[in-house]
Amino acid sequence: MRYIPNTPDDRREMLREIGVSSFEELLGSIPTPLRLNRQLTIPDGQSEWQVRRDLTQMAEKNLNATGHACFMGAGSYDHYVPAAVNAIASRSEFVTAYTPYQPEVAQGTLQVIFEFQSMICELYGMPVANASLYDCGTALSEAVSMARAHTKRTRIVWSEAVHPSYRRVAQTNNLALGTSFDIAHCPNGQQTMDSISMLLGDDVAALVLQYPNFYGLVDDLSQLVERAHSHGSLVIFITDPLAMGLYTSPGQLGADIVVGEGQSLGNYMSYGGPYLGLFAASNELTRLVPGRIVGITKDVDGRRGFVLTLQTREQHIRRDKATSNICTNQGLIAARATFYLSLLGPQGLKAVGEACCRRTQYLIEKLRSIPGFSIAHEGHHFREFLLRVPGDARHFYKYMADNGILAGVPLTKFGINDERGILVALTETRTKVEIDSYVSLASEYASGGSK
Amino acid sequence: MNIPSGYLYTKEHEWVKLEGDIASVGITDFAQGELGDVVFVQLPSIGSKAVQGDSFGTIEAVKAVAELYSPLSGEVVEVNSELSATPEIINREPYSSGWIVKIRPTNFEAERLNLLSPEAYKDLTSA
């Protein structure tokens, strides 16, 4: 539809049709004190190039990962996106693919989803994965309500090392259902037995753990999983798929539901979205999985075909029974993740993971020797760690950003009361030069260069 | 249509057959015919309470999903675990190996008055 503004003639005609002589008369029944009685403060129209120039200037005020060395993570990571991902994903078949309401005519779309699901199953070591959800927060929210529906219990225990934003989304979405949430503190940033097992009990629907956790630590979770299961609780893992080239899969550790953020797989940070919610579950839970699952079958002539195998009926025709209102998936972003994973292969994924770990370890060692700086947690770090800086982390962030480095995400941003804490992430794209300048700027900062 | 004698029926097309103090429950031949190919049965857990007239599970066919209503009140003592792998038994043998749950009824004599005889069920389904 074209937008056609009214001409003065159009307005006169409309007023005449209504039976008034002016716009003022039309508003006559509204008391004068209630009216604005002045023109709206909207500037005059501008040409396209003027608008573009102004917006570009505004956009240049943003600090981004192209103009700065980005050490910020906390759920969104500056991984390299191979050009081939963009080339393949820009094909019109993928870009314009709409949600398969008539699935049988969308074989290509369905095949990509099928491949995507298969890869997520393999990465997480789980038998079932859906066609994706919106982002990790909504995926966790769905996992929580699914655990509730399956166990018919209402209490959730989650560790403090679960990303605060994910927790917030899941809590908001589940509060009205009467779900209660207990947070287990992680004194050393680690999800260990001590505080978590105290909260477990026979009324707990699920224990929620993050692996690698919010602070980048890879915890040993096998005993916790066992303990939760002994109470009949499910265990929900939040796992970055990119870490799966290196570590034991959640499935092998006994997870019942695994969710994750797929942004790290061939997708950009894009100022926060669209992202990709990953969702996998055990066989027993298949029928409760939200969203859609694509399956493979044969037609009457024995030819291979893809079908929307499972879409919980409740979401369509039995809404009163529904535990989820999600009937769709994040098609293009999931397709990008599929291309990324197929381009990297298991070896490539492992190489990216190792590169992240090596860089992280290198920066950790360097920063340890700078007076006033400390690494908050001991343990094995994947790609991320909590740094404590001298003074306020926001001040440190500003100093570093002024010198071309986005130093990390201050913890206060998540409402965590740790003014010195800043979460630092290193992907495979951080060069030695960038890491070394991080270290030298930090040294300067410590020796008063910040003043 | 097969409506065997020796069974009692509900208006919602379940059957019940008491043997000793245990009642088997399933869906009728008429119901399986109307539903078509059964692909999934959601069973209650053993030990759960069944209440006459309340839903105790769902049955899913290719084109529809239906609630399963308990013909009697009591405790679920057994479920037909064969159905998880081969739900189509319900289509083949709705009154024998296609049984769904076994209930130990707590109030059979009073509740049987709410159930239909084979003749009454025949009237209902041929109407």
Side-chain angles (χ1 to χ4, degrees):
Chain A
M1 188 168 56
R2 283 193 296 166
Y3 174 66
I4 304 166
N6 302 319
T7 64
D9 278 348
D10 292 336
R11 280 181 226 140
R12 267 194 297 277
E13 198 184 324
M14 286 191 281
L15 289 169
R16 195 172 54 241
E17 191 67 28
I18 297 167
V20 292
S21 58
S22 69
F23 186 64
E24 276 307 304
E25 194 184 331
L26 178 68
L27 299 181
S29 58
I30 304 173
T32 321
L34 295 181
R35 294 194 224 159
L36 192 60
N37 296 313
R38 61 167 173 78
Q39 293 291 308
L40 289 173
T41 49
I42 298 172
D44 289 338
Q46 290 192 333
S47 67
E48 182 181 320
W49 74 264
Q50 277 177 311
V51 173
R52 178 176 285 272
R53 194 192 53 187
D54 290 352
L55 290 177
T56 308
Q57 275 173 5
M58 278 190 243
E60 277 166 1
K61 291 185 185 169
N62 287 322
L63 308 182
N64 60 51
T66 316
H68 287 65
C70 179
F71 291 80
M72 299 176 85
S76 176
Y77 300 93
D78 182 32
H79 287 289
Y80 184 68
V81 178
V85 170
N86 290 331
I88 301 169
S90 64
R91 289 182 61 104
S92 61
E93 298 94 317
F94 297 122
V95 176
T96 64
Y98 195 48
T99 191
Y101 285 124
Q102 291 178 301
E104 63 279 11
V105 301
Q107 285 295 303
T109 301
L110 294 183
Q111 184 178 352
V112 172
I113 295 175
F114 183 82
E115 306 289 356
F116 167 79
Q117 291 170 178
S118 307
M119 289 179 193
I120 298 306
C121 283
E122 213 169 314
L123 285 176
Y124 282 158
M126 300 297 284
V128 183
N130 77 3
S132 77
L133 298 168
Y134 305 126
D135 57 23
C136 189
T138 57
L140 178 60
S141 159
E142 291 294 326
V144 164
S145 50
M146 188 164 120
R148 234 193 94 114
H150 179 74
T151 59
K152 302 191 169 59
R153 301 174 177 183
T154 57
R155 195 154 72 85
I156 300 290
V157 173
W158 49 23
S159 94
E160 192 186 7
V162 168
H163 195 304
S165 304
Y166 301 161
R167 275 193 267 130
R168 217 163 150 196
V169 173
Q171 200 160 359
T172 305
N173 283 350
N174 283 282
L175 270 180
L177 294 169
T179 312
S180 65
F181 296 87
D182 287 319
I183 189 155
H185 294 289
C186 303
N188 301 310
Q190 284 162 333
Q191 306 167 116
T192 51
M193 271 299 189
D194 306 342
S195 67
I196 294 176
S197 66
M198 279 186 336
L199 293 168
L200 291 171
D202 294 347
D203 59 340
V204 173
L207 169 65
V208 185
L209 301 165
Q210 189 166 338
Y211 164 84
N213 76 26
F214 178 63
Y215 301 108
L217 290 165
V218 184
D219 299 322
D220 178 4
L221 299 172
S222 47
Q223 281 187 312
L224 273 171
V225 173
E226 243 173 71
R227 180 67 64 88
H229 282 164
S230 74
H231 289 286
S233 311
L234 299 182
V235 181
I236 301 172
F237 270 62
I238 301 161
T239 294
D240 188 315
L242 205 87
M244 294 294 94
L246 298 184
Y247 308 109
T248 310
S249 69
Q252 279 173 287
L253 294 171
D256 299 285
I257 308 172
V258 186
V259 298
E261 176 51 65
Q263 180 271 332
S264 52
L265 306 175
N267 289 293
Y268 295 105
M269 294 188 284
S270 305
Y271 295 100
Y275 281 3
L276 179 65
L278 310 176
F279 195 104
S282 64
N283 271 324
E284 197 190 358
L285 299 169
T286 309
R287 288 263 159 186
L288 290 172
V289 170
R292 52 170 64 136
I293 297 175
V294 171
I296 191 166
T297 186
K298 284 183 177 144
D299 71 4
V300 285
D301 301 319
R303 291 173 303 188
R304 186 180 73 165
F306 297 94
V307 284
L308 273 188
T309 308
L310 286 174
Q311 268 199 294
T312 45
R313 288 281 173 77
E314 283 70 20
Q315 284 156 220
H316 297 289
I317 55 174
R318 285 155 48 91
R319 299 215 156 179
D320 54 322
K321 307 272 179 192
T323 51
S324 168
N325 59 9
I326 294 182
C327 317
T328 186
N329 70 300
Q330 194 75 279
L332 185 59
I333 310 297
R336 293 180 62 98
T338 312
F339 307 144
Y340 178 83
L341 285 169
S342 54
L343 286 164
L344 260 69
Q347 287 310 313
L349 194 71
K350 189 170 176 222
V352 171
E354 283 171 348
C356 296
C357 280
R358 270 200 309 274
R359 283 159 175 71
T360 305
Q361 205 48 48
Y362 178 75
L363 181 57
I364 286 176
E365 292 313 321
K366 293 278 179 183
L367 287 172
R368 275 189 208 284
S369 60
I370 304 176
F373 282 78
S374 62
I375 308 303
H377 308 126
E378 292 304 318
H380 177 80
H381 287 90
F382 171 76
R383 194 185 49 191
E384 207 152 12
F385 63 94
L386 179 59
L387 177 66
R388 293 232 168 82
V389 304
D392 193 314
R394 284 167 295 190
H395 188 234
F396 173 71
Y397 175 85
K398 170 93 175 49
Y399 174 79
M400 297 290 277
D402 289 344
N403 289 286
I405 287 179
L406 304 175
V409 185
L411 278 193
T412 47
K413 200 166 167 52
F414 300 101
I416 298 172
N417 190 19
D418 184 347
E419 295 209 327
R420 287 183 56 203
I422 186 165
L423 205 54
V424 183
L426 292 93
T427 68
E428 80 284 5
T429 62
R430 293 289 66 78
T431 63
K432 184 162 183 297
V433 173
E434 288 169 341
I435 301 171
D436 288 341
S437 39
Y438 193 113
V439 175
S440 57
L441 279 169
S443 300
E444 269 178 48
Y445 183 83
S447 60
S450 61
K451 304 297 184 306
Chain B
M1 194 197 320
N2 183 12
I3 305 177
S5 55
Y7 290 65
L8 291 168
Y9 299 88
T10 69
K11 280 191 271 231
E12 286 86 16
H13 310 286
E14 288 89 11
W15 57 257
V16 54
K17 184 178 170 64
L18 190 71
E19 284 166 310
D21 63 344
I22 301 296
S24 301
V25 175
I27 67 164
T28 65
D29 185 37
F30 175 79
Q32 71 77 20
E34 293 292 304
L35 276 172
D37 293 341
V38 174
V39 292
F40 179 68
V41 186
Q42 187 193 39
L43 299 163
S45 49
I46 292 168
S48 63
K49 292 266 171 291
V51 176
Q52 188 177 46
D54 281 4
S55 167
F56 68 83
T58 58
I59 184 162
E60 186 168 338
V62 174
K63 289 291 175 195
V65 191
E67 297 288 321
L68 294 164
Y69 296 99
S70 182
L72 296 169
S73 303
E75 186 193 351
V76 175
V77 292
E78 207 180 331
V79 298
N80 188 351
S81 50
E82 296 288 310
L83 296 177
S84 58
T86 48
E88 63 271 21
I89 314 174
I90 290 179
N91 293 111
R92 285 203 308 267
E93 295 174 335
Y95 295 108
S96 49
S97 52
W99 65 275
I100 296 171
V101 292
K102 291 190 180 176
I103 292 172
R104 179 178 288 117
T106 44
N107 198 12
F108 181 74
E109 287 311 316
E111 287 185 343
R112 70 178 299 166
L113 303 174
N114 302 323
L115 300 172
L116 304 174
S117 66
E119 294 73 26
Y121 184 66
K122 185 162 187 286
D123 288 347
L124 179 81
T125 51
S126 57

